[in-house]
Amino acid sequence: MYKAGKIWGETELILANNACEFHRIDFKKGGVCSKHLHEWKWNGFYCMSGELKIKVWQKDYDLVDETILRPGDFTAVKPGLYHSFEGMTDGVAFELYWANFSHNDIVRESVGHLKDDDNKVVRLDKNKNKTTDKK
């Protein structure tokens, strides 16, 4: 689809939609991408050939995690963490971006309830036997 030359090698966009991006990266030995973060996207790396070092700067403690990927290895970087990669050898990897669907993605303005035959709200909490008038 779209290829772009980089100082560290080359990236080719294979797929992009509103749910994910999929890129092929050809990296050079000694090539290092910028230290950067993504506010909302996860960034995953799957190594096809060569060796690729992924560095992740942690927020919660003063540490830089380093992972060396070899063919068949995968790692993912959480949103909000600075990271970069470095080619330890020449090689090829696939880079993926995605945002997680959160099952906790809900903001309640009211609470669900049950009405009895007299149109009174039946409480289903610790006061199980209480009813209140619903007006």
Side-chain angles (χ1 to χ4, degrees), residues 45-50 69-75 92:
F45 299 90
Y46 180 82
C47 185
M48 292 296 295
S49 67
L69 301 179
R70 293 176 180 87
D73 291 341
F74 174 81
T75 194
V92 174

Side-chain angles (χ1 to χ4, degrees), residues 5 8 21 24 40 59 72 79 85:
W8 49 261
E21 287 181 38
R24 174 190 164 120
W40 311 110
K59 279 193 218 179
F85 63 77

Side-chain angles (χ1 to χ4, degrees), residues 15-132:
L15 172 73
N17 59 36
N18 62 354
C20 71
E21 287 181 38
F22 183 55
H23 299 254
R24 174 190 164 120
I25 58 175
D26 291 272
F27 53 89
K28 297 177 186 176
K29 180 179 180 179
V32 180
C33 79
S34 66
K35 177 183 175 183
H36 64 282
L37 65 78
H38 305 281
E39 291 187 62
W40 311 110
K41 296 186 291 191
W42 283 77
N43 195 178
F45 299 90
Y46 180 82
C47 185
M48 292 296 295
S49 67
E51 291 185 354
L52 185 65
K53 182 193 305 182
I54 310 297
K55 293 175 75 172
V56 180
W57 284 260
Q58 299 297 325
K59 279 193 218 179
D60 299 334
Y61 45 91
D62 188 23
L63 180 68
V64 179
D65 289 334
E66 293 185 356
T67 302
I68 296 180
L69 301 179
R70 293 176 180 87
D73 291 341
F74 174 81
T75 194
V77 179
K78 291 192 262 185
L81 294 179
Y82 280 98
H83 59 282
S84 70
F85 63 77
E86 176 181 351
M88 305 307 291
T89 66
D90 289 352
V92 174
F94 290 107
E95 187 174 18
L96 302 107
Y97 301 96
W98 69 94
N100 269 2
F101 175 80
S102 173
H103 67 277
N104 292 322
D105 185 12
I106 186 167
V107 178
R108 298 184 194 280
E109 191 170 295
S110 66
V111 178
H113 57 273
L114 177 66
K115 294 181 182 179
D116 65 13
D117 291 337
D118 295 323
N119 205 30
K120 292 182 180 177
V121 174
V122 178
R123 304 270 319 242
L124 298 177
D125 58 10
K126 62 185 175 189
N127 302 316
K128 289 182 181 180
N129 296 326
K130 284 189 174 181
T131 59
T132 59

